[in-house]
Amino acid sequence: MNKTVSVLGSTGSIGTQSLEVCEKHGFRIAGLSANSNTDLLEKQSRKFRPDYVCIYDDKKYTEMKQRLSDTSVKVLSGMDGLCEIASLSQNDILLNSVVGMVGLLPTFTAINSGKDIALANKETLVAGGEIVMSSAKAKGVTIYPVDSEHSAIFQCLQGSRREHLSKIILTASGGPFFKKSYEDLKKVTKADALKHPNWSMGNKITIDSATLMNKGLEFIEAKWLFDLTPEQIEIVVHRQSVVHSAVEYNDFSVIAQLGVPDMKIPIQYALLYPDRLECPTKRLSLTDYGTLTFEKPDYETFKCLSTAIKAIESGGAYPCLVNSANEEAVKFFLDDRIPFIEIGEIVSSVMENFAPAQISCYEDVVKADISAREYVRNIIEK
Ligand code: MG
C-alpha cells in the first residue's frame, strides 16, 4: 500500500504505535513532530527519513538541528512547524496525536489544506467541534477517529444508513478508581492515579481516565463526530475494555466492535480505511476473558464526567472552558500542587462561574481557553 503519512506527536504513546503500524504496511513518512523528546525524535528521523521534523519546544531547536545535521531532514519548531507539517502537499493523511489544545490549530491547517485527518487529539473536537466539523465538511475533508471508542462506533456504522441509527453506547473502563467513594478519592495519590488497569497511555490521558474526564471528553467528541444529541449517547462502564463501543439501530439491534485493548487496531483502521490487513497486535480470545461486565457510571462521585456532559448540553464555549480548566488542573495535580479530588471541584465550578458565550471562529476558542486557564491559576495561586 502506497501512502504518505505525517505524524504529529510521534514520540508519544499513540505516535510510536502509529509508526509501528506505518512500518508494518510500508507507509512513507513525510513529517514527524515531538514536544521536547529530541532523543526519540532523532531515532525516528533516522529510521523513517521524513522530509521534515518539528520540535515544538523552541529551546530544543538548535539541539535538534545539530542532531540531524548529517541528514537531509529539515528541522522546524513551534506552532509554525506543526502547521507546516500538517499542510505538507505530500501528505495523504495527517495523524494528529499531540496532547491538549495545542492540537487544534494544526487540525485547522490540515483541513484548510484539504488533507484528511486521523484524529487522536480529542481536544480538537471538544474545544472547537462545531467549527472543525463545519470547515471539514466545507473542504471535503474526512476526519477518521483514532480514539478506540469512536473507531468502534465508526466501524459499527459501516454499511448502515445514518437515519437508522437510534443511539450509541460509549463504553468506559471506569479507570483505576471505579467503585471508590468521594471520601476514598480524597486519599488517592499521584502514583495511584497514574496506574490504569487496561490501557498504557500518556500521563494527561491517564489522569483523565482516573477522573473520568476522558469519558466526558469522548462524549463531546462523539457528539461532533457522529452528529448526535447528548440524549443519544449512553455511557456504560465495561471493566475489561474488550467491547470498544456499540451502536443501537431503530429496530433495537445493537452492533458492537470488539478486540484486545490495543490502540494499534483503531490507529490502523483510521490509516488504512476502508482496507483491513493484519494488525501488529494480539487476536482476541473471548474464552480467555470468559466474563464481560457492564455497569452504570457514578456521576455523583466523578464530577468531571457529569460536568463535561453538562457543558455540551449547555453548548457554546462551555466544552472549551471545561476542557481547558481540566488541562490546567491536571498540570497542577501532576506538579503535586493540588490533590486529586480538587481536579473535579475546579472543573465543575467552571459551569457556575462563566457566562454563556458563543464559539464562531478559532479566535473565540483561543479566548475561552485563555480565560479558563487564568481562572484555574487564580484559584490555585491565590
Ligand atoms: Mg478512548
Side-chain angles (χ1 to χ4, degrees), residues 122 147-149 214 218:
K122 54 189 79 174
D147 217 338
S148 61
E149 295 79 359
N214 184 53
E218 289 180 355

Side-chain angles (χ1 to χ4, degrees), residues 92-131:
D92 289 313
I93 188 163
L94 172 76
L95 192 136
N96 184 356
S97 65
V98 307
V99 179
M101 275 290 292
V102 175
L104 184 59
L105 196 55
T107 298
F108 267 120
T109 309
I111 291 172
N112 286 326
S113 320
K115 298 293 176 186
D116 286 343
I117 302 168
L119 189 64
N121 172 261
K122 54 189 79 174
E123 291 82 359
T124 287
L125 287 173
V126 171
E130 197 161 0
I131 45 177

Side-chain angles (χ1 to χ4, degrees), residues 101 104 317 320-321 324 354 357-359 361-374:
M101 275 290 292
L104 184 59
C320 176
L321 291 165
S324 299
F354 281 84
Q358 286 308 306
I359 297 273
C361 60
Y362 174 71
E363 287 68 32
D364 291 342
V365 179
V366 174
K367 217 173 97 191
D369 175 55
I370 292 171
S371 63
R373 286 172 199 274
E374 266 171 16

Side-chain angles (χ1 to χ4, degrees), residues 111-370:
I111 291 172
N112 286 326
S113 320
K115 298 293 176 186
D116 286 343
I117 302 168
L119 189 64
N121 172 261
K122 54 189 79 174
E123 291 82 359
T124 287
L125 287 173
V126 171
E130 197 161 0
I131 45 177
V132 168
M133 292 314 284
S134 63
S135 45
K137 200 172 170 197
K139 290 276 180 184
V141 163
T142 306
I143 296 180
Y144 296 100
V146 169
D147 217 338
S148 61
E149 295 79 359
H150 305 80
S151 173
I153 295 159
F154 181 56
Q155 294 185 53
C156 296
L157 289 171
Q158 298 303 312
S160 72
R161 300 231 305 260
R162 180 58 182 74
E163 68 267 29
H164 291 162
L165 181 151
S166 108
K167 69 167 194 179
I168 64 161
I169 298 165
L170 191 67
T171 53
S173 74
F177 306 138
F178 182 59
K179 293 251 156 110
K180 292 240 188 285
S181 70
Y182 191 80
E183 285 306 306
D184 296 332
L185 290 187
K186 285 182 175 169
K187 288 171 246 155
V188 304
T189 66
K190 189 161 90 180
D192 298 332
L194 284 172
K195 256 182 258 144
H196 195 275
N198 303 332
W199 298 94
S200 125
M201 309 172 288
N203 279 355
K204 160 74 167 52
I205 185 169
T206 304
I207 300 304
D208 285 348
S209 298
T211 60
L212 296 199
M213 184 64 180
N214 184 53
K215 208 49 56 182
L217 299 178
E218 289 180 355
F219 186 103
I220 300 172
E221 201 186 352
K223 184 243 174 312
W224 292 118
L225 274 172
F226 306 111
D227 191 20
L228 303 163
T229 62
E231 297 72 37
Q232 284 179 295
I233 308 172
E234 181 190 1
I235 297 174
V236 171
V237 175
H238 165 50
R239 296 295 281 161
Q240 299 79 21
S241 298
V242 166
V243 177
H244 297 302
S245 279
V247 170
E248 184 200 73
Y249 288 96
N250 289 340
D251 59 356
F252 304 145
S253 181
V254 175
I255 297 182
Q257 185 260 338
L258 286 71
V260 293
D262 185 329
M263 286 306 295
K264 289 192 283 295
I265 297 175
I267 289 168
Q268 175 167 310
Y269 193 67
L271 291 178
L272 266 68
Y273 179 84
D275 284 315
R276 290 188 184 271
L277 298 172
E278 191 179 310
C279 184
T281 187
K282 285 198 300 230
R283 297 169 89 155
L284 173 65
S285 163
L286 279 173
T287 50
D288 282 354
Y289 282 89
T291 306
L292 298 178
T293 59
F294 302 93
E295 292 164 84
K296 285 192 172 126
D298 176 354
Y299 293 100
E300 301 263 306
T301 305
F302 293 91
K303 291 190 175 178
C304 284
L305 177 61
S306 40
T307 303
I309 296 171
K310 248 183 251 160
I312 190 66
E313 284 167 352
S314 308
Y318 284 115
C320 176
L321 291 165
V322 160
N323 173 61
S324 299
N326 176 64
E327 260 188 59
E328 207 59 24
V330 170
K331 250 191 253 165
F332 279 104
F333 170 69
L334 288 170
D335 286 345
D336 300 307
R337 301 272 306 273
I338 56 168
F340 180 79
I341 199 78
E342 200 59 29
I343 303 173
E345 295 300 327
I346 290 172
V347 169
S348 59
S349 74
V350 166
M351 297 303 295
E352 298 105 57
N353 287 292
F354 281 84
Q358 286 308 306
I359 297 273
S360 42
C361 60
Y362 174 71
E363 287 68 32
D364 291 342
V365 179
V366 174
K367 217 173 97 191
D369 175 55
I370 292 171

